[in-house]
Amino acid sequence: MGDTIWKVGRDGTVTPFARDPRLGGASFGNNGIVWDPRGFLVTGHYTNGTLFKVTQDRVEELPAPSLPGADGLTLTPQGLVVVTNSLAAPGRNAVTVLDTRTWQVKTQREWGTAPTTAARTPWGTYVLSGRVDLLVKGETTDEFSLDR
C-alpha cells in the first residue's frame, strides 16, 4: 500500500531506498521484488500489473505488458518469472516468463489454483500455490502445492 521501498542496513538501520507514488495503492500496490544482477530491483504493482525498474531514488516503468495480480517475482536463466493471481485484482492465475532484454512475454501458462510466488532451485523453478484463495475467504487449510 505504501509508496516506498525500504533498505535495511546490516546494522538494522532502515532508510528509504526509493519513493514514488506509482508504487502505492489504495488496496494493494507494490508487491513482489527481485534483484537483477545488472544493478537494479524489479518490482510489480499488484493491482494494475505495472512492472518497475528501481535504483536508488529512481523508479521507471518497464516496457512490459500489464500483469494485474503480480504477486511473486523470480529471476531465472529463462527470464523473469511473474506469478499472478486473481485474489484481489483483475488478474488471472498464471505464470508468465518475460524476456529480460525486451520485457516481453516469452511464455505464459494458466494455473489451476491461485499461485503466490516462485523460487529458483538447482532442479528448476517451482511455483507455490498456498491456497491463499481459501484463506482470504476465511476458510482454513493446510493444503499447498509446489509445482515445477
Side-chain angles (χ1 to χ4, degrees), residues 7-31:
K7 178 180 179 180
V8 180
R10 291 179 188 212
D11 65 353
T13 304
V14 179
T15 56
F17 180 74
R19 181 173 286 146
D20 190 294
R22 295 174 294 174
L23 297 175
S27 57
F28 292 100
N30 187 50
N31 193 31

Side-chain angles (χ1 to χ4, degrees), residues 7 15 31 55 57 84 92 107 142:
K7 178 180 179 180
T15 56
N31 193 31
T55 55
D57 295 322
T84 59
R92 55 195 240 212
T107 63
D142 58 2

Side-chain angles (χ1 to χ4, degrees), residues 49-70:
T50 303
L51 296 180
F52 297 99
K53 175 181 176 180
V54 182
T55 55
Q56 182 80 43
D57 295 322
R58 182 180 169 108
V59 177
E60 66 182 86
E61 192 172 324
L62 288 171
S66 175
L67 295 167

Side-chain angles (χ1 to χ4, degrees), residues 11-128:
D11 65 353
T13 304
V14 179
T15 56
F17 180 74
R19 181 173 286 146
D20 190 294
R22 295 174 294 174
L23 297 175
S27 57
F28 292 100
N30 187 50
N31 193 31
I33 194 165
V34 67
W35 173 253
D36 188 298
R38 293 175 289 182
F40 55 88
L41 299 169
V42 176
T43 187
H45 192 284
Y46 184 84
T47 303
N48 65 32
T50 303
L51 296 180
F52 297 99
K53 175 181 176 180
V54 182
T55 55
Q56 182 80 43
D57 295 322
R58 182 180 169 108
V59 177
E60 66 182 86
E61 192 172 324
L62 288 171
S66 175
L67 295 167
D71 203 351
L73 304 178
T74 302
L75 195 59
T76 71
Q78 293 73 37
L80 177 67
V81 176
V82 182
V83 175
T84 59
N85 59 55
S86 59
L87 295 172
R92 55 195 240 212
N93 297 334
V95 176
T96 304
V97 178
L98 300 178
D99 183 302
T100 57
R101 291 180 323 270
T102 65
W103 303 105
Q104 296 306 299
V105 175
K106 287 176 71 175
T107 63
Q108 188 171 63
R109 179 177 160 197
E110 297 296 320
W111 217 256
T113 59
T116 54
T117 196
R120 178 179 167 192
T121 76
W123 301 276
T125 301
Y126 286 81
V127 175
L128 170 67

Side-chain angles (χ1 to χ4, degrees), residues 111-117 127-132 143-147:
W111 217 256
T113 59
T116 54
T117 196
V127 175
L128 170 67
S129 295
R131 298 312 311 255
V132 177
E143 182 182 325
F144 72 93
S145 64
L146 288 172
D147 296 291

